[in-house]
Amino acid sequence: MTETSARVKPLSFEEASFDFDLTTIQACRAKGNRQRIVGQPRALRTLELALSLHKSGFNLYVSGDSGSGRHEAVRHCVQDLRADISTLRDIVYVCNFPQPDSPKVLILPQGEGERFSDASELFNQEILNLAIAKEQFLEKALALVDGLEADFSQSAGHEHFTHLRADLKRMAKHIRYLDEQALRSDSIATKYRANLIVNHARTTEKPLIIENHPSFTNLFGSVDSREKVPHLSLHAGSLLEASGGYIVIDAEELLSQNGLWDALKRHLDANTLVLESKIPSKGELKGSFIRPQVPALPLKVILIGSEETYDTLTEGDERFLTLFKLNAQFDYSMSLDETSIEQSIATLESYAQENGLLPLDDSAFCQLLRYSCWFVESRTQLSTQFSILYDLLEEANWWAKKQGQAKIDSQMILTVNEERSYASGISESKINEEILNGEMLISLSGSKVGVVNGLAVMDRGSASFGTPTVITCTVAPGNEGIVNIEHEAGLSGEIHDKGLLILEGYLRKHYARTFPLSIYAGIAFEQSYAEVDGDSASSSELYALLSAIGELPVRQDIAVTGSVNQMGLIQPVGGINEKIEGFFRTCRTTGLTGQQGVIIPIQNVRNLILSYEVLEAIREKQFFIYPIRTIEEGMQLLTGRNAGVRNAKGNWSAGNFNFDIEDRLRKMYQAVSANRG
């Protein structure tokens, strides 16, 4: 066998750098490839299908990150379908004489609702006048009904006229006993009126209701308790207002209202609606319930929410997928190619023009697109969350005007990033001050046994920054295995716990092949008092563990990030740019030595979009980035020793770190066995 791997070389300035070519920007800008929705072909195809299907259950869930154009895409796709208003109907509620607490709904052709409401208003007044006069009340009242029915003979509601006649006959029996004041105060003064709650007389396109604040009242309507007659107390909610068209509902807001999701399901399932009066009736402890009939009209419900909410609904509600059969997934990124560059430039330029911002020069687009890649942490992807880039443009426009510039150039985009870092950098500065004055114990030079500088990302609102974190490990013979001190203190998340368990698997596979693993190892994040989660520090923890077992000093001027599997392969992590830049700024605060650097997974090279100050330090060989594939490559860097090879008998050759680690583990086993004896 040969040596397991050659020495790892740091990235050159060219390998670490990433920029857009000005010539490419100019060529793409000249094409002006403007699209309403950029980078969402899958979502748009699903939207088109869902909005065109009218079968029951083909409501739509639109998932993705905020700012990825979900609302704009829905409006854009719906717009082409809104011209057909043949399905629009007016909705009128009238008195249900046998069951007044269940108002009757009449579905009338577009424009007929207004005419019916006006005719009912006149009819009600004439009936009141006849009741006051009391002469030939029934004959004249029935004649009025005949006229009304004849006028609307082609419309729905013939059953209503039958009940209307029956009610007039019942009223005629006792009308002679009522004086004028009683008649005017009685429900007769209003109960023959109609309540036109959805009027499409002047509607020219299908309704599109955006319900960002769903509640029972906003969605299902309300009841005015001041009205004595139930059907007149009803006010339409957005579900009825959107009938015949589309309603867009914020999914997270919907689920935050207790019982609202269940009520919406019942409505979509069986067109049921129960409303409660806001003001209690006299002598009652709570308001009375009204159960209006609900019209069975076509309605497309579109929920907009996150991927997490979609998963919650699909996993926790068996009815969800029968009501929302399609999911339009909006991606947070798109492939970086000539087309996406053209469309991104055209979209940003259009925004600047429409909002009266200063003109942008070509260099500004170089930095805007570089920021777009940085935001999605990829050299091969651009962000589809244009709202993030719009904010950047607005701030750059402010700085350009403040500095008296006629255009937004690359320096203005860089200024925004610098000012954002300055404004949100108090926490990072405080940490570096604590390191500088010795309050936070961390070494950035020399070597130590069982101590490794890991890297973490701290989030504070919309800002985040990287910072070093000291990971220590102590070992002794024992049977406890690896003890996660963070877990014992209640400060470890489930993913971090899993990462620690993987370390034991690595030790058994690589060292304890012919003898049991007999070790106590305590691993801790020093001076860390918040919950630790994620597995991006698992390689750092393994280096500290191996260093402690083999009594191998490891370099303190190199910080480490990366996940590891049981086979010892390094896996990529998130926040790589923040981690590198954070450690660089810490080293710069205490003084660059020309030896400091960061070990990263080789897969993360494609995610590197580093600040120019870090790149300049790499050019000047004051800071280094080491991409690695395996734990052994990392140990070679940290210890300065070879990995060695196993001979034909399966034993490590002497004089390397693997031999020392396995030898110590064997001696721990022997010590534990001797104590048992």
Side-chain angles (χ1 to χ4, degrees), residues 129-146:
N129 293 336
L130 288 175
I132 293 172
K134 297 184 181 180
E135 294 180 6
Q136 295 182 303
F137 168 78
L138 185 57
E139 293 83 353
K140 293 180 179 179
L142 293 177
L144 289 175
V145 175
D146 291 339

Side-chain angles (χ1 to χ4, degrees), residues 68 101 127 150 175 182 184 205 253 286 395 407 418 423 457 477 492 496 499 511 524 537 574 597 610 614 631 674 677:
S68 57
D101 64 345
I127 290 295
I175 197 172
R184 290 190 181 277
E205 58 185 4
E253 290 290 329
K286 64 177 182 177
E395 293 179 47
K407 285 189 173 184
E418 292 167 2
V457 174
S492 179
H496 182 246
Y511 302 110
L610 297 166
V614 174
I631 282 292

Side-chain angles (χ1 to χ4, degrees), residues 36-338:
R36 287 286 299 274
I37 310 300
V38 178
Q40 305 291 355
R42 297 174 189 267
L44 290 177
R45 185 174 297 184
T46 306
L47 273 172
E48 182 182 5
L49 172 65
L51 296 175
S52 301
L53 289 173
H54 301 297
K55 188 177 184 296
S56 174
F58 278 92
N59 297 299
L60 176 67
Y61 188 100
V62 180
S63 62
D65 292 338
S66 177
S68 57
R70 297 171 300 175
H71 285 85
E72 176 64 21
V74 169
R75 282 191 289 264
H76 173 66
C77 292
V78 164
Q79 195 57 45
D80 294 336
L81 303 171
R82 295 181 70 187
D84 179 12
I85 58 174
S86 60
T87 60
L88 293 188
R89 297 292 182 268
D90 293 340
I91 301 175
V92 178
Y93 276 100
V94 294
C95 182
N96 185 350
F97 301 107
Q99 295 178 291
D101 64 345
S102 181
K104 184 176 180 60
V105 66
L106 302 181
I107 309 301
L108 301 175
Q110 184 181 7
E112 284 291 283
E114 190 172 79
R115 195 167 71 89
F116 182 85
S117 179
D118 291 343
S120 297
E121 189 74 29
L122 180 60
F123 174 82
N124 190 89
Q125 186 59 49
E126 290 177 334
I127 290 295
L128 178 59
N129 293 336
L130 288 175
I132 293 172
K134 297 184 181 180
E135 294 180 6
Q136 295 182 303
F137 168 78
L138 185 57
E139 293 83 353
K140 293 180 179 179
L142 293 177
L144 289 175
V145 175
D146 291 339
L148 187 61
E149 183 176 16
D151 201 16
F152 292 93
S153 59
Q154 302 302 315
S155 299
H158 292 290
E159 182 183 347
H160 170 65
F161 293 116
T162 300
H163 288 304
L164 184 56
R165 286 189 179 89
D167 189 72
L168 288 170
K169 290 176 181 178
R170 283 193 297 272
M171 186 173 63
K173 294 180 180 179
H174 66 273
I175 197 172
R176 67 186 127 210
Y177 304 112
L178 299 175
D179 58 24
E180 182 176 341
Q181 183 177 355
L183 286 170
R184 290 190 181 277
S185 63
D186 193 69
S187 63
I188 188 175
T190 54
K191 72 175 179 178
Y192 299 120
R193 294 168 58 196
N195 184 6
L196 175 61
I197 66 170
V198 175
N199 181 12
H200 286 304
R202 282 162 285 281
T203 302
T204 58
E205 58 185 4
K206 286 183 179 179
L208 171 62
I209 306 294
I210 309 295
E211 188 55 84
N212 290 321
H213 303 288
S215 64
F216 280 94
T217 297
N218 289 348
L219 280 180
F220 298 106
S222 60
V223 176
D224 186 351
S225 297
R226 293 169 296 183
E227 287 285 353
K228 294 181 179 180
V229 183
H231 75 277
L232 294 179
S233 68
L234 299 177
H235 297 278
S238 51
L239 285 171
L240 285 183
E241 291 173 350
S243 59
Y246 312 89
I247 182 169
V248 179
I249 304 174
D250 185 286
E252 280 77 29
E253 290 290 329
L254 177 73
L255 294 177
S256 70
Q257 302 285 326
N258 188 35
L260 190 56
W261 165 240
D262 289 330
L264 178 61
K265 282 191 298 182
R266 287 194 297 270
H267 179 77
L268 295 177
D269 260 334
N271 277 16
T272 59
L273 183 62
V274 178
L275 299 175
E276 183 179 354
S277 300
K278 291 183 179 179
I279 304 174
S281 301
K282 187 175 181 180
E284 294 182 343
L285 294 178
K286 64 177 182 177
S288 58
F289 288 97
I290 295 177
R291 300 175 182 272
Q293 298 175 2
V294 181
L297 291 174
L299 173 65
K300 185 73 68 174
V301 178
I302 303 165
L303 292 182
I304 295 186
S306 65
E307 294 284 354
E308 292 77 13
T309 299
Y310 181 78
D311 291 340
T312 299
L313 288 169
T314 54
E315 294 169 8
D317 194 314
E318 61 182 15
R319 292 290 298 135
F320 175 70
L321 289 178
T322 63
L323 297 172
F324 292 83
K325 296 181 184 293
L326 294 174
N327 174 27
Q329 294 179 282
F330 275 70
D331 203 345
Y332 65 89
S333 66
M334 56 185 166
S335 296
L336 195 163
D337 53 34
E338 191 170 298

Side-chain angles (χ1 to χ4, degrees), residues 380-417:
T380 61
Q381 302 280 312
L382 286 171
S383 175
T384 59
Q385 293 178 265
F386 282 94
S387 62
I388 303 296
L389 300 176
Y390 296 157
D391 291 344
L392 187 63
L393 263 182
E394 292 282 0
E395 293 179 47
N397 182 71
W398 188 88
W399 283 108
K401 288 182 176 180
K402 181 178 177 64
Q403 297 180 15
Q405 295 199 180
K407 285 189 173 184
I408 300 173
D409 57 16
S410 61
Q411 186 54 51
M412 290 302 97
I413 306 299
L414 293 173
T415 296
V416 172
N417 289 330

Side-chain angles (χ1 to χ4, degrees), residues 478-479 516-519 669-677:
N479 293 312
L517 192 62
S518 303
I519 187 176
Y669 161 65
Q670 292 169 352
V672 170
S673 298
N675 286 336
R676 288 174 183 165

